Amino acid sequence: MALVKPTPPGECPQCWQHAYDKSIHRKLKPRQDCPACVDHMHNGCPNRVPKKQSIWR
Ligand SMILES: [Zn+2]
Ligand SMILES: [Zn+2]
């Protein structure tokens, strides 16, 4: 559907999606916090896209 930019390295796919796909938050009630975003805000993002792999591994 909406064109979502691919998650850049070092970014969290979820937060990225939520930032760009406003329809995700549109489901929330006004002033309701997005649980997924709140969770990441408090606990950090557990699944960021890894940065470019080093050739040195
Ligand atoms: Zn969200
Ligand atoms: Zn996140």
Side-chain angles (χ1 to χ4, degrees):
M1 293 205 202
L3 214 88
V4 178
K5 295 183 168 213
T7 314
E11 297 294 331
C12 166
Q14 181 187 281
C15 293
W16 187 257
Q17 296 272 327
H18 283 223
Y20 275 89
D21 189 352
K22 303 290 183 197
S23 65
I24 295 174
H25 285 172
R26 216 167 284 151
K27 286 182 230 160
L28 300 168
K29 298 186 189 103
R31 312 206 136 257
Q32 183 189 0
D33 285 324
C34 172
C37 285
V38 170
D39 179 56
H40 279 209
M41 221 180 290
H42 286 285
N43 304 315
C45 302
N47 51 356
R48 290 171 186 268
V49 171
K51 302 231 189 203
K52 230 190 253 170
Q53 275 188 351
S54 164
I55 52 172
W56 303 111
R57 71 152 301 193

